[in-house]
Amino acid sequence: MLNTTIVRNDWTVSEVQSLFKMPFNDLMFKAQTIHRQNFNANEVQVSTLLSIKTGACPEDCKYCSQSARYSTDVEKEKLMEVDKVLEAAQKAKAQGSTRFCMGAGWRNPKARDMPHIVKMVEGVRDLGLETCMTLGMLDAEQAGTLQQAGLDYYNHNLDTSPEHYNSIITTRTYQDRLDTLTNVRGAGMKVCSGGIVGLGEKSVDRASLLVQLANLDQQPESVPINMLVKIEGTPLADVDDLDSFEFIRCIAVARIMMPKSHVRLSAGRETMNEQMQAMCFMAGANSIFYGCKLLTTPNPEADSDMMLFSKLGINTERFNAKTPEQLQDEEHTLRTAIVNQENSDLFYDASAS
Ligand code: SAM
Ligand code: DTB
Ligand code: SF4
């Protein structure tokens, strides 16, 4: 079967709004069809998160437990020792995670932090895990240093639409975020970028966020879609819940627009029942954060995720797993080689007799 998926970078907000408005079953069918053309539909990639530096962040992101500007229950912690980080990574590997994502409550890393960060990346890489970090803004030099150390992915979210952005964060601009993504890409790392829904944004903002992500020069390899985890003490603690079907629609539309990206069902799973998570996988989500804690808030226990995977017949994706397209190409190459070999054997026999 020929995969005819075209990756588009010219989406318009109005056409994405039309996708959101499709009858639910039609939207799910379209997303699932595209998903199956590009991925094994019964595989989900699992990443584990660790907060390597928690709280006291100078930024004012209105959703965040770690901002120093709000009074939340989060205890601030210094940058973790490298050994402790590697211990946690080893545990994540033993539990079946293939990627280890280290996050820091920073606006950006300082020069004095870089040698420690580099040691963490090297150590995690040496354990045979994929490496990911989310440390705030990066300049081109810092991105180069992390790439050299062996960092595979850098997570930096656009968070919301450009239009809604100033109601959520005022201490860094949308352009600052885009510049960090350019630096990450320029250094040769894979990009992990997505956003949060349920921030009180309008439906058009969700479409506009996805347009920003899909229309990047190269689409992110990984797209986390976070449902807001409401944190007491933050300005968004009492925002209205987003309708569950609207969340599932976001996953489906992201899958359609970014057909070759891993779409990650990220924060918010703790409040989703199994049926809702299953619908997110049907809509094309194929990655999760795995392990009982996100950065500062709870996530489902690893055991309950494994139980859900078993009920759904889902396997965890291997490190460097190949897409159906790559597997087909390999099979084709192998078959061609066998046929060529058989033909040359025939030719040899004929000339010998
Ligand atoms: N400080 C760095 C930064 O902001 O770039 C890295 C860590 S920050 C916690 C990473 C991302 O987590 C944010 O951009 C946001 O998308 C997500 N996030 C943080 N708090 C959240 C919450 N309460 N609910 C959902 N997602 C959240
Ligand atoms: C992402 O998009 N979601 C993760 C990760 N990238 C770093 C973070 C979710 C944080 C949820 C709230 C908390 O645990 O503090
Ligand atoms: Fe700081 Fe990141 Fe939280 Fe914003 S999201 S307050 S930058 S830790």
Side-chain angles (χ1 to χ4, degrees):
M1 188 184 65
L2 199 63
N3 182 352
T4 52
T5 305
I6 295 165
V7 177
R8 286 181 49 196
N9 300 77
D10 59 354
W11 291 93
T12 66
V13 173
S14 65
E15 86 184 294
V16 176
Q17 285 183 292
S18 310
L19 286 175
F20 269 98
K21 286 184 190 137
M22 281 173 76
F24 186 75
N25 285 343
D26 290 349
L27 178 64
M28 292 292 274
F29 181 69
K30 189 176 173 76
Q32 177 68 196
T33 305
I34 290 178
H35 188 48
R36 281 170 183 271
Q37 284 167 357
N38 295 286
F39 291 98
N40 179 332
N42 301 307
E43 269 185 6
V44 169
Q45 187 276 330
V46 294
S47 298
T48 293
L49 262 178
L50 176 72
S51 181
I52 58 170
K53 193 267 159 197
T54 308
C57 180
E59 301 285 274
D60 71 351
C61 312
K62 288 198 172 56
Y63 49 77
C64 188
S65 63
Q66 301 195 63
S67 168
R69 295 166 193 248
Y70 317 125
S71 167
T72 70
D73 285 344
V74 164
E75 299 278 342
K76 57 180 189 220
E77 286 166 27
K78 289 195 308 220
L79 183 61
M80 275 174 82
E81 300 288 335
V82 177
D83 287 353
K84 294 266 176 267
V85 173
L86 299 187
E87 236 172 71
Q90 189 112 50
K91 205 169 137 199
K93 188 180 178 188
Q95 284 194 318
S97 236
T98 56
R99 191 178 308 160
F100 194 65
C101 180
M102 296 157 267
W106 283 331
R107 173 178 165 81
N108 54 268
K110 309 263 183 320
R112 63 166 187 268
D113 303 315
M114 290 304 283
H116 301 283
I117 294 298
V118 162
K119 282 196 194 112
M120 290 176 195
V121 176
E122 289 170 346
V124 174
R125 182 200 56 192
D126 290 348
L127 289 173
L129 284 160
E130 286 186 302
T131 52
C132 176
M133 282 191 157
T134 179
L135 314 171
M137 295 186 283
L138 285 190
D139 62 30
E141 195 186 327
Q142 290 171 322
T145 304
L146 293 175
Q147 192 275 339
Q148 284 293 309
L151 190 65
D152 298 306
Y153 289 81
Y154 195 78
N155 166 241
H156 196 67
N157 291 339
L158 294 180
D159 276 356
T160 186
S161 68
E163 297 76 22
H164 189 60
Y165 187 81
N166 290 340
S167 324
I168 303 297
I169 299 135
T170 68
T171 47
R172 81 173 71 148
T173 65
Y174 212 76
Q175 190 57 47
D176 287 334
R177 290 184 185 258
L178 293 168
D179 291 347
T180 291
L181 296 185
T182 304
N183 292 336
V184 170
R185 197 51 99 192
M189 286 182 285
K190 291 182 197 149
V191 170
C192 171
S193 187
I196 316 178
V197 295
L199 298 168
E201 75 283 350
K202 295 195 283 292
S203 166
V204 64
D205 293 307
R206 294 186 279 278
S208 171
L209 164 67
L210 293 177
V211 165
Q212 288 290 324
L213 293 165
N215 288 358
L216 289 169
D217 287 343
Q218 194 180 335
Q219 295 187 342
E221 280 79 4
S222 175
V223 181
I225 306 290
N226 296 278
M227 172 84 104
L228 174 70
V229 179
K230 293 182 202 173
I231 312 277
E232 218 169 303
T234 64
L236 296 181
D238 298 316
V239 77
D240 285 344
D241 280 341
L242 182 72
D243 176 71
S244 298
F245 290 110
E246 181 65 11
F247 182 83
I248 300 165
R249 281 178 186 272
C250 278
I251 300 266
V253 174
R255 164 52 63 229
I256 292 165
M257 295 172 73
M258 293 173 273
K260 296 191 185 283
S261 308
H262 277 79
V263 174
R264 181 172 308 130
L265 170 57
S266 303
R269 284 199 304 119
E270 180 72 349
T271 55
M272 296 176 195
N273 64 22
E274 289 188 329
Q275 292 78 0
M276 172 156 178
Q277 294 182 59
M279 278 219 174
C280 291
F281 296 134
M282 283 173 69
N286 60 347
S287 172
I288 58 164
F289 285 121
Y290 177 62
C292 62
K293 202 168 172 199
L294 291 166
L295 290 173
T296 65
T297 63
N299 197 37
E301 293 287 338
D303 286 356
S304 59
D305 278 342
M306 279 304 140
M307 222 129 75
L308 176 60
F309 281 6
S310 156
K311 285 186 200 175
L312 300 178
I314 285 177
N315 298 310
T316 55
E317 189 182 288
R318 282 178 299 119
F319 189 1
N320 281 337
K322 299 199 167 71
T323 62
E325 207 177 7
Q326 287 169 319
L327 289 170
Q328 268 171 19
D329 283 351
E330 280 181 9
E331 194 184 315
H332 177 75
T333 312
L334 196 67
R335 279 184 194 285
T336 313
I338 292 169
V339 170
N340 287 345
Q341 181 65 44
E342 283 170 1
N343 286 345
S344 76
D345 287 351
L346 278 175
F347 179 72
Y348 177 79
D349 285 341
S351 61
S353 60

